[in-house]
């Protein structure tokens, strides 16, 4: 895959008009924000429901590129209501039981429309028997 190339994954992860849903650079896949969306519509629910749908969307997006949550090295998480942070911290280890990525969490920035959103950076595994050119 060439430097800066857009990643072509599952067709359900369409690029937005102003940015790609994923982009490859320097041995990493950068995944744009994943929220509680299904069939191009927001699915509203409890905080846990929306977090689960968002995480399933992230897993599917990187899974389409042969990666898993174990390959995620950094996440930025947006939690709309600061009172949901305790629940977020309780649920988070379910999605990253083996390797927890570096994490930044921001609150009060989703405008009350959705409760949770996550973007991620995942490391692309080198092909078996080859070294990783990015070190």
């Amino acid at each position: 895959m060439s430097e800066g190339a857009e990643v072509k994954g599952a067709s359900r992860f369409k690029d937005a008009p102003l940015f790609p849903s994923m982009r490859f650079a320097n041995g990493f896949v950068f995944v744009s924000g994943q929220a509680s969306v299904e069939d191009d519509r927001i699915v509203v629910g409890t905080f846990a429901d929306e977090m689960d749908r968002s995480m399933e969307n992230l897993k599917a997006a990187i899974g389409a590129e042969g990666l898993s949550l174990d390959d995620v090295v950094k996440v930025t998480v947006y939690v709309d209501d600061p009172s949901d942070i305790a629940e977020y911290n309780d649920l988070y280890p379910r999605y990253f039981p083996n390797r927890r990525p570096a994490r930044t969490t921001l609150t009060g920035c989703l405008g009350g429309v959705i409760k949770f959103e996550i973007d991620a950076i995942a490391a692309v595994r080198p092909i078996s028997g080859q070294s990783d050119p990015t070190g």
Side-chain angles (χ1 to χ4, degrees):
M1 191 174 298
S2 64
E3 182 67 25
E6 291 182 17
V7 177
K8 301 301 179 193
S11 61
R12 68 182 263 203
F13 299 98
K14 300 177 191 127
D15 290 342
L18 299 176
F19 57 88
S21 60
M22 291 188 282
R23 191 153 189 93
F24 173 89
N26 293 326
F28 295 94
V29 173
F30 295 78
V31 183
S32 296
Q34 299 295 308
S36 183
V37 175
E38 187 173 326
D39 298 326
D40 294 327
R41 64 181 176 80
I42 295 171
V43 179
V44 178
T46 66
F47 179 82
D49 292 340
E50 290 193 28
M51 183 173 174
D52 187 57
R53 167 61 56 204
S54 302
M55 294 303 296
E56 289 302 318
N57 286 344
L58 175 60
K59 284 180 7 183
I62 64 175
E65 301 305 323
L67 302 173
S68 75
L69 291 179
D70 284 339
D71 298 305
V72 174
V73 295
K74 170 71 170 85
V75 296
T76 303
V77 174
Y78 309 88
V79 176
D80 193 54
D81 186 341
S83 69
D84 288 328
I85 289 294
E87 184 174 9
Y88 158 62
N89 284 329
D90 286 343
L91 296 171
Y92 187 82
R94 293 182 191 176
Y95 303 102
F96 298 103
N98 302 316
R99 293 175 149 184
R100 296 209 179 117
R103 176 178 101 168
T104 300
T105 303
L106 304 165
T107 63
C109 53
L110 294 173
V113 177
I114 57 176
K115 297 174 179 71
F116 181 90
E117 184 173 340
I118 184 169
D119 60 54
I121 302 169
V124 177
R125 287 184 228 144
I127 298 170
S128 180
Q130 295 182 359
S131 62
D132 182 354
T134 64

